[in-house]
Amino acid sequence: MSNKRIFITGGASGLGEALAEVYAKEKWSVCIGDIHEERGQKVVRKLKGMGARAHFIACDVTQEADVQQAADWMVAKWGGVDAVVNNAGVATAGAFEDAPMEDWDWIININLLGVVRGCRIFAKIFQTQGHGQIINIASAAGLVHLPGMASY
């Protein structure tokens, strides 16, 4: 088993789950953070079934305390972290003029500020350790403007 450790936000489904599986196959220890505990635990069971060391932690990237709790867990239980994937993301659809400000706030708080929180908190650990990688996931929708998805 590798001694590499990774933390993935939004790891309970979609791309985050797929990334967790890839790292598990490479024998990394995989900790996933997500707001969906039931789905997260299901992914952890699948990863453990693959022979990986895996853990789920409830983590809402809009809450700095949740991200800090995940970082603290990684240090306390696994002795640190080698890579962090800021993957959690959401989207809305609809006409620009109809999108309520709450949608904009929600998306920015998760898709942008969630990444900022992850970078700030885990960078401190990487500085202390002397190593680490941050992988920030972004959508091609940031470059290709899809009709009805202005807030995304």
Side-chain angles (χ1 to χ4, degrees):
M1 180 171 294
S2 169
N3 60 354
K4 298 285 188 177
R5 305 145 300 181
I6 190 166
F7 177 68
I8 303 170
T9 67
S13 64
L15 179 61
E17 180 179 355
L19 289 169
E21 289 178 23
V22 167
Y23 282 94
K25 286 177 186 172
E26 294 296 319
K27 305 300 183 205
W28 284 52
S29 296
V30 179
C31 180
I32 59 171
D34 204 292
I35 61 171
H36 300 287
E37 184 164 358
E38 187 175 319
R39 289 192 319 214
Q41 294 294 355
K42 182 178 178 184
V43 172
V44 165
R45 286 191 297 275
K46 181 176 15 173
L47 299 177
K48 287 181 176 180
M50 297 168 58
R53 180 168 72 159
H55 180 74
F56 170 81
I57 189 163
C59 183
D60 179 345
V61 298
T62 70
Q63 303 300 310
E64 188 167 347
D66 279 14
V67 180
Q68 185 65 59
Q69 178 183 1
D72 293 345
W73 187 93
M74 295 291 296
V75 171
K77 300 297 185 182
W78 287 355
V81 59
D82 299 290
V84 172
V85 180
N86 289 308
N87 170 70
V90 295
T92 61
F96 179 84
E97 62 276 10
D98 296 332
M101 285 306 297
E102 292 80 16
D103 285 359
W104 288 86
D105 291 339
W106 181 62
I107 287 173
I108 289 170
N109 201 12
I110 295 170
N111 295 4
L112 175 61
L113 297 178
V115 172
V116 171
R117 289 180 193 96
C119 290
R120 291 182 71 239
I121 289 169
F122 282 95
K124 294 173 190 173
I125 294 171
F126 293 159
Q127 289 170 337
T128 300
Q129 295 176 159
H131 74 279
Q133 295 179 321
I134 295 174
I135 303 161
N136 295 324
I137 303 296
S139 171
L143 302 172
V144 178
H145 308 288
L146 303 172
M149 296 198 61
S151 61
Y152 182 64

